[in-house]
């Protein structure tokens, strides 16, 4: 997921519109238990001055992917915000999508031994995919 997010962020900063489909199948290195423990510790961090401003992480796979890409874009200028508006991410492949113009990345097809998917991480945090 991270390597894909860097390619997407670079394309967005170059001015391209990017549509990422099948984000719930994105592979994340590490075990599911490790990721759940990390996100639980982040979820329970509270700021001392205002607990409501503590970090919030989305539970839906495509929104979590957009947050990962957002972290790789510039924050001080409007350039990063405009680039993020050019990103469309979908958890599954939509019916209206034309696969003829799709670009696949075969270098990301190799799955490490200790890995999980983004969809499994989101399901661990009570995300229920649509039926």
């Amino acid at each position: 997921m991270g390597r894909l997010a860097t390619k997407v962020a670079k394309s967005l900063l170059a001015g391209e519109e990017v549509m990422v489909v099948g984000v719930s199948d994105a592979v994340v290195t590490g075990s599911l238990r490790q990721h759940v423990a990390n996100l639980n510790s982040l979820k329970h961090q509270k700021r001392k001055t205002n607990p409501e401003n503590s970090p919030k992480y989305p539970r839906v796979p495509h929104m979590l992917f957009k947050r990962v890409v957002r972290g790789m874009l510039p924050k001080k200028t409007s350039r990063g915000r405009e680039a993020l508006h050019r990103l469309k991410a979908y958890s599954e492949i939509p019916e209206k999508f034309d696969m003829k113009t799709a670009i696949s990345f075969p270098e990301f097809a190799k799955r490490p031994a200790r890995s999980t998917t983004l969809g499994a991480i989101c399901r661990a945090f009570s995300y229920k995919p649509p039926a």
Side-chain angles (χ1 to χ4, degrees), residues 51-73:
E52 293 299 318
N53 282 342
S54 59
K56 311 249 185 322
Y57 292 92
R59 296 178 183 179
V60 184
H62 67 274
M63 295 301 292
L64 189 57
F65 181 77
K66 280 184 93 165
R67 184 182 168 100
V68 169
V69 173
R70 188 189 83 187
M72 298 179 182
L73 295 173

Side-chain angles (χ1 to χ4, degrees), residues 38-121:
N38 287 343
L39 285 174
N40 271 333
S41 67
L42 289 174
K43 191 169 81 171
H44 295 298
Q45 286 179 356
K46 300 284 184 191
R47 296 189 182 191
K48 292 180 182 179
T49 56
N50 189 357
E52 293 299 318
N53 282 342
S54 59
K56 311 249 185 322
Y57 292 92
R59 296 178 183 179
V60 184
H62 67 274
M63 295 301 292
L64 189 57
F65 181 77
K66 280 184 93 165
R67 184 182 168 100
V68 169
V69 173
R70 188 189 83 187
M72 298 179 182
L73 295 173
K75 292 148 186 73
K76 300 281 184 181
T77 62
S78 62
R79 186 174 161 223
R81 192 176 328 113
E82 292 167 359
L84 191 62
H85 286 299
R86 289 191 293 270
L87 173 64
K88 304 283 187 245
Y90 298 98
S91 295
E92 303 296 327
I93 299 175
E95 295 173 8
K96 63 180 180 178
F97 185 67
D98 182 20
M99 292 300 285
K100 294 175 188 167
T101 60
I103 300 172
S104 64
F105 295 102
E107 63 266 19
F108 299 146
K110 191 172 122 179
R111 186 170 175 164
R114 292 184 60 211
S115 63
T116 186
T117 62
L118 191 59
I121 293 171

